Amino acid sequence: MKSKHTIIDELKPKRTVKELCGYLGISRSGSYAYLKRKDNDPEEELKLKIRSIYEQRDKTVGYRRRIQDELYRQYSLVVNHKKVLRLI
Protein backbone atom coordinates (compact mmCIF):
# COMPACT_ATOMS: atom_id res chain seq x y z
CA MET A 1 0.00 0.00 0.00
CA LYS A 2 1.33 3.41 -0.94
CA SER A 3 1.76 6.14 1.62
CA LYS A 4 -0.26 9.33 1.33
CA HIS A 5 2.90 11.31 0.63
CA THR A 6 3.80 9.04 -2.28
CA ILE A 7 0.34 9.51 -3.76
CA ILE A 8 0.72 13.28 -3.54
CA ASP A 9 4.12 13.07 -5.23
CA GLU A 10 2.63 11.07 -8.12
CA LEU A 11 -0.48 13.24 -8.60
CA LYS A 12 1.29 16.57 -8.18
CA PRO A 13 1.36 17.34 -11.93
CA LYS A 14 -2.44 16.94 -12.19
CA ARG A 15 -3.63 18.74 -9.03
CA THR A 16 -2.25 21.28 -6.59
CA VAL A 17 -0.51 20.09 -3.46
CA LYS A 18 -3.02 22.03 -1.38
CA GLU A 19 -5.98 20.17 -2.93
CA LEU A 20 -4.34 16.77 -2.58
CA CYS A 21 -3.34 17.37 1.04
CA GLY A 22 -6.86 18.52 1.88
CA TYR A 23 -8.36 15.43 0.28
CA LEU A 24 -5.97 13.03 2.03
CA GLY A 25 -6.12 14.85 5.35
CA ILE A 26 -2.44 15.66 5.80
CA SER A 27 -0.59 18.94 6.16
CA ARG A 28 1.21 20.63 3.29
CA SER A 29 4.29 21.16 5.43
CA GLY A 30 4.43 17.42 6.14
CA SER A 31 4.16 16.70 2.44
CA TYR A 32 7.03 19.04 1.60
CA ALA A 33 9.12 17.63 4.46
CA TYR A 34 8.61 14.15 3.00
CA LEU A 35 9.82 15.30 -0.41
CA LYS A 36 12.92 16.80 1.16
CA ARG A 37 13.68 13.58 3.08
CA LYS A 38 12.92 11.32 0.13
CA ASP A 39 15.69 12.70 -2.04
CA ASN A 40 18.27 12.87 0.74
CA ASP A 41 18.62 9.44 2.37
CA PRO A 42 22.13 9.26 3.86
CA GLU A 43 21.79 5.54 4.61
CA GLU A 44 20.72 4.42 1.14
CA GLU A 45 24.16 3.01 0.33
CA LEU A 46 24.25 1.01 3.57
CA LYS A 47 20.75 -0.33 2.86
CA LEU A 48 21.94 -1.57 -0.54
CA LYS A 49 24.93 -3.31 1.02
CA ILE A 50 22.73 -5.01 3.62
CA ARG A 51 20.32 -6.10 0.88
CA SER A 52 23.26 -7.49 -1.12
CA ILE A 53 24.48 -9.55 1.85
CA TYR A 54 20.95 -10.79 2.50
CA GLU A 55 20.59 -11.90 -1.12
CA GLN A 56 24.05 -13.56 -1.16
CA ARG A 57 23.18 -15.66 1.86
CA ASP A 58 19.89 -16.96 0.42
CA LYS A 59 17.81 -14.74 2.71
CA THR A 60 18.69 -16.79 5.79
CA VAL A 61 21.04 -14.52 7.77
CA GLY A 62 20.30 -12.93 11.10
CA TYR A 63 20.75 -9.23 11.63
CA ARG A 64 22.82 -9.24 14.78
CA ARG A 65 26.00 -11.07 14.02
CA ARG A 66 25.93 -12.43 10.51
CA ILE A 67 25.02 -9.28 8.61
CA GLN A 68 27.08 -7.14 10.96
CA ASP A 69 30.11 -9.43 10.45
CA GLU A 70 29.63 -9.51 6.69
CA LEU A 71 29.51 -5.71 6.53
CA TYR A 72 32.87 -5.67 8.25
CA ARG A 73 34.31 -8.55 6.20
CA GLN A 74 33.20 -7.35 2.76
CA TYR A 75 33.15 -3.57 3.14
CA SER A 76 35.28 -2.87 6.27
CA LEU A 77 32.27 -1.17 7.88
CA VAL A 78 31.64 -1.22 11.61
CA VAL A 79 27.88 -0.86 12.11
CA ASN A 80 25.90 -1.19 15.33
CA HIS A 81 23.53 -4.18 15.39
CA LYS A 82 20.59 -1.90 16.29
CA LYS A 83 21.17 0.16 13.16
CA VAL A 84 21.33 -2.99 11.03
CA LEU A 85 18.03 -4.15 12.52
CA ARG A 86 16.40 -0.77 11.88
CA LEU A 87 17.55 -0.70 8.25
CA ILE A 88 16.36 -4.23 7.57
Side-chain angles (χ1 to χ4, degrees):
M1 181 175 183
K2 293 183 181 181
S3 74
K4 292 178 181 180
H5 298 292
T6 308
I7 293 170
I8 288 176
D9 194 27
E10 291 175 1
L11 296 176
K12 197 168 43 174
K14 297 177 183 175
R15 298 276 185 222
T16 65
V17 174
K18 183 177 181 180
E19 288 175 337
L20 293 169
C21 288
Y23 178 73
L24 294 172
I26 60 174
S27 66
R28 284 189 310 160
S29 62
S31 177
Y32 288 121
Y34 167 79
L35 291 175
K36 186 186 272 188
R37 281 191 318 267
K38 180 185 83 161
D39 295 334
N40 191 16
D41 188 5
E43 297 171 343
E44 186 65 33
E45 187 175 334
L46 182 57
K47 288 178 186 177
L48 293 174
K49 289 176 181 176
I50 290 172
R51 171 70 63 183
S52 170
I53 292 168
Y54 186 68
E55 298 286 331
Q56 289 171 4
R57 301 290 180 214
D58 297 324
K59 302 178 182 179
T60 59
V61 294
Y63 78 93
R64 186 165 288 190
R65 283 284 152 216
R66 302 273 311 268
I67 288 181
Q68 193 177 11
D69 290 343
E70 286 295 321
L71 284 170
Y72 182 73
R73 217 175 280 128
Q74 292 181 18
Y75 304 106
S76 300
L77 290 174
V78 178
V79 182
N80 187 308
H81 68 276
K82 294 176 202 171
K83 185 171 189 172
V84 173
L85 175 63
R86 180 174 52 85
L87 295 177
I88 289 177

